[in-house]
Amino acid sequence: MAFKVNEFVEVCGVDEVYKHAFYVCRISRINGTELEVVYENRRGLSGEAMVETVGVDQVRRIPEAVVADFDDGDFVEVWLSGGWWREVVVWEDDVSALLYFAYRQPGEQHFIYPKEQLRIHQKCYDIGKYTFWLYKRRNSGESVQPREQVEILGVDGIFKFAVFGGRVVSVGENMVQVEYDTLLNPAGGRLVERVHVSQVRSIPDVVICDFKETEFVEAWIEGGWWGGIVVGVTNDAAIVYFGYKHIGSQYILIRKTLLRIHQKWKRSGMYSMWVYRKKMM
């Protein structure tokens, strides 16, 4: 990972307890594979900000905020003692969640915390000029279920670059009948069609982030999310390139409120695996 002096990062400990926690730090010096960091929320014996030398493998970039409700089995991080501690949700309601701390002593492993104190756990990998973020969310089952809200990927022509929201009507062998939220049939009602199960995915969580040039995004246009590449940005909008459109309509200035970061999806058993990439600073 290519870090810079004065960059803010998160540092994970190495002992049996702190290896489960991430603390925000500022890099003050770089020496090969070792970084000197100044903690934001940990103090030394003198009361001043704690300074420590850590290995580069203990450091990760600060993750983007993912807006997510939580379900049983989700891996989350809870804000405790100035750091983010990795746990597992075992029960939740509208306002709080019961978390399991596997590394604590029996009798001290289950605690309830308000949901505003939680965030989804993310892993990151630096490849080239980009950081790839991976997180997983609990599904309701091994496959899509009737009445489940989903997104449907197109396959024909330019529609293979678009994603549309809809509802599962019925599930068959390798095929799913869906009713679209925004696409209409010739009679004016909601379009219902059968699609291959590979075209149906869970609805991604919202990633709160700004956008940079060369990032893959999706733009809300005509009732669907259309994939493109950011080629320029302003304070409240971005110029997005749609390579599959006709010459003259490939570059569109779109408000940032109508954009979302592109996320790749893979269902893995009871979980949905989501991956998105962000350009490094």
Side-chain angles (χ1 to χ4, degrees), residues 161-234:
F161 300 100
V163 181
F164 293 90
R167 178 181 64 90
V168 175
V169 177
S170 62
V171 181
E173 185 176 356
N174 297 323
M175 299 297 290
V176 179
Q177 188 176 47
V178 296
E179 179 185 66
Y180 289 91
D181 292 334
T182 57
L183 297 184
L184 304 179
N185 59 34
R190 290 186 177 182
L191 177 64
V192 177
E193 68 174 357
R194 288 171 56 83
V195 299
H196 193 269
V197 67
S198 63
Q199 294 174 245
V200 180
R201 73 177 192 180
S202 301
I203 297 174
D205 294 299
V206 176
V207 178
I208 300 177
C209 63
D210 205 352
F211 304 101
K212 301 182 181 71
E213 292 181 5
T214 73
E215 289 184 345
F216 290 107
V217 296
E218 294 171 4
W220 181 256
I221 301 173
E222 297 179 351
W225 291 101
W226 294 79
I229 301 174
V230 176
V231 296
V233 293
T234 67

Side-chain angles (χ1 to χ4, degrees), residues 124-138:
C124 72
Y125 306 91
D126 280 5
I127 302 177
K129 297 180 179 180
Y130 298 91
T131 298
F132 288 78
W133 291 95
L134 180 150
Y135 67 96
K136 64 181 183 179
R137 297 303 313 280
R138 177 73 181 269

